[in-house]
Amino acid sequence: MSDEPLQGISDGDGDDDGDDGRGGDDAVGDWPVDLAGVTESVVATLGPNGLWNLAALGLHAPEHDSRPADAPVRARTWGRTRTWRNFTERGEGVVQFVTDPRDFVDAAATVREEREPVLDSADAWAELEVERVGSGERGGTEWVDWHLRVTDAAVERTDVRTINRGFGAVIDATVAVSRLDVPSYDTAELLARLRYFADVVDRCGGPAEREAFETLREVSGWDSGDRSPDADGERRDGR
């Protein structure tokens, strides 16, 4: 994920100015892909150690939040995570769109740091300026809303990539894992969901989905009773 409060596992938030993709009040149209609903992404933020931390981040299209179509895309971080810290201190990040479930799970459920912000598996990416626009608390966890404005973007590949039900199960499983041991969520219900997702991955997933789910199983310990988060761990942007 790896973004969200230090309780639980990792994240775990204009006008067109021309051909270079840079601008001031960037809206959804300036992104390298069309966004609808809550689009799953991987965000890279530069930490104080000079490495890029990778985390999962949900991108809320304006229409999904009943806002004007030209409003900025919104994202929400939960807790004092690495993404929250780096957004706060630097006001920027790089969002990328990946279809490799292994990279998504690494970002969502482990602490992954890289020397470069964009993964080889990224189909497209966008450099961002971020602005804190609101905050609150739910279930004992502080959340912060951010507006995201594109300063540069690129599409890396346009080939057709297929998905299977196992891929969707992996994505949903990262959300369930992030909520384990969070008091406002029912642990028994989450474990039941994870058992179902494990079955879907086993029946419908390919090698990449199975590998990704096994990583999620190992880092969370959801089926072994060992679900204690690393003191430096993070949780995804819980939804």
Side-chain angles (χ1 to χ4, degrees), residues 12-226:
D13 257 298
D15 296 327
D16 189 345
D17 73 326
D19 294 338
D20 66 357
R22 299 177 182 271
D25 295 331
D26 293 292
V28 67
D30 298 308
W31 289 73
V33 297
D34 293 330
L35 301 180
V38 181
T39 300
E40 297 293 344
S41 74
V42 171
V43 63
T45 55
L46 189 60
N49 61 356
L51 298 176
W52 293 86
N53 179 73
L54 300 178
L57 189 68
L59 309 177
H60 293 240
E63 295 91 334
H64 179 73
D65 294 340
S66 300
R67 294 180 293 136
D70 61 351
V73 170
R74 181 180 68 82
R76 175 171 289 182
T77 56
W78 291 80
R80 293 178 175 251
T81 64
R82 291 173 178 80
T83 300
W84 167 85
R85 177 195 64 197
N86 297 339
F87 273 180
T88 300
E89 294 181 355
R90 295 183 179 274
E92 60 187 12
V94 180
V95 156
Q96 53 208 290
F97 303 92
V98 302
T99 54
D100 189 322
R102 295 164 296 192
D103 281 336
F104 189 85
V105 165
D106 281 351
T110 75
V111 177
R112 180 171 177 180
E113 296 178 319
E114 299 286 349
R115 295 190 178 279
E116 299 295 334
V118 179
L119 295 169
D120 290 340
S121 63
D123 292 334
W125 53 267
E127 293 181 358
L128 307 171
E129 291 179 349
V130 303
E131 176 189 7
R132 178 174 173 146
V133 294
S135 63
E137 182 270 340
R138 190 176 75 189
T141 301
E142 178 187 10
W143 55 262
V144 175
D145 278 348
W146 309 84
H147 280 173
L148 313 180
R149 294 181 171 85
V150 176
T151 58
D152 196 9
V155 174
E156 297 294 341
R157 56 176 62 86
T158 58
D159 53 320
V160 177
R161 296 200 173 198
T162 59
I163 59 174
N164 54 60
R165 286 183 61 201
F167 179 83
V170 168
I171 303 304
D172 270 347
T174 64
V175 178
V177 161
S178 75
R179 294 172 176 174
L180 289 172
D181 300 320
V182 177
S184 56
Y185 292 99
D186 185 278
T187 299
E189 179 180 345
L190 293 172
L191 292 176
R193 290 184 193 176
L194 286 164
R195 288 191 291 270
Y196 171 76
F197 295 143
D199 179 64
V200 173
V201 171
D202 185 59
R203 289 186 291 107
C204 304
E209 287 75 27
R210 293 192 181 97
E211 182 179 338
F213 200 86
E214 185 59 30
T215 297
L216 193 60
R217 188 194 306 273
E218 291 175 357
V219 299
S220 67
W222 68 266
D223 61 347
S224 66
D226 180 15

